[in-house]
Amino acid sequence: MQLPQRVFVGALVVPMLLASVGTAFRSDPEISVGHLVFAVRSSEIVLAGTAGTDAERQDVVDAVRVLTASHRITDMITPNAGERMPVPPAVVSGLLGVVLDQGVTEFTGVVRKGHLTASARVADPDRAGELSDALRAAAPDLRVDEDFTSA
């Protein structure tokens, strides 16, 4: 074998073969945790984010749909095989149930990597405290940061 051929085989072909063998023997594809955004605006609930499968997306939508018949649900969750929802459907419905039970009509929540960032417009500081406590109780495994303003 001539030197240019050896260089080509050593520099390109061998690493490609090793990479393909490593990929073939990997038992589980890496699945990362995605994100979820949910917002309540008057009579609409908006869901956005990523789900590992269409079934996972549908489970979240169904869990929210059970909460209320008076809100329109807009589903913008996109299936992505490499990501899964950051929380199970029961946690999503628990968080939204708290928001709806508190009568909050302006709320945005973002769940990502064990963290909930919540923003809401509430009637007064007492209601803000009640909402804060209820969100923490509904999702004890999430760190909650909030930004509530009084109307």
Side-chain angles (χ1 to χ4, degrees):
M1 208 184 271
Q2 294 177 348
L3 183 60
Q5 290 173 329
R6 288 182 185 167
V7 170
F8 176 77
V9 169
L12 295 176
V13 175
V14 172
M16 287 174 25
L17 286 173
L18 290 174
S20 66
V21 169
T23 303
F25 287 107
R26 178 182 254 169
S27 61
D28 289 335
E30 283 190 37
I31 297 177
S32 63
V33 177
H35 65 283
L36 175 67
V37 178
F38 52 97
V40 176
R41 295 292 181 265
S42 187
S43 63
E44 181 178 24
I45 296 173
V46 178
L47 302 170
T50 54
T53 64
D54 195 48
E56 185 180 33
R57 179 199 61 78
Q58 190 62 49
D59 289 345
V60 171
V61 172
D62 291 344
V64 172
R65 188 168 281 131
V66 169
L67 292 174
T68 180
S70 63
H71 286 76
R72 182 177 74 217
I73 298 171
T74 302
D75 169 25
M76 297 188 310
I77 299 173
T78 57
N80 181 351
E83 294 184 344
R84 63 179 168 81
M85 295 295 288
V87 291
V91 173
V92 177
S93 67
L95 290 168
L96 276 168
V98 163
V99 172
L100 297 175
D101 289 346
Q102 295 282 327
V104 178
T105 58
E106 296 269 335
F107 179 88
T108 302
V110 179
V111 181
R112 185 173 178 88
K113 295 181 182 178
H115 184 241
L116 168 65
T117 304
S119 176
R121 182 176 302 268
V122 293
D124 55 57
D126 291 336
R127 291 271 180 117
E130 291 171 8
L131 179 60
S132 177
D133 293 343
L135 287 171
R136 284 181 168 75
D141 294 337
L142 295 178
R143 187 181 89 219
V144 179
D145 289 331
E146 71 247 356
D147 179 24
F148 299 149
T149 57
S150 298

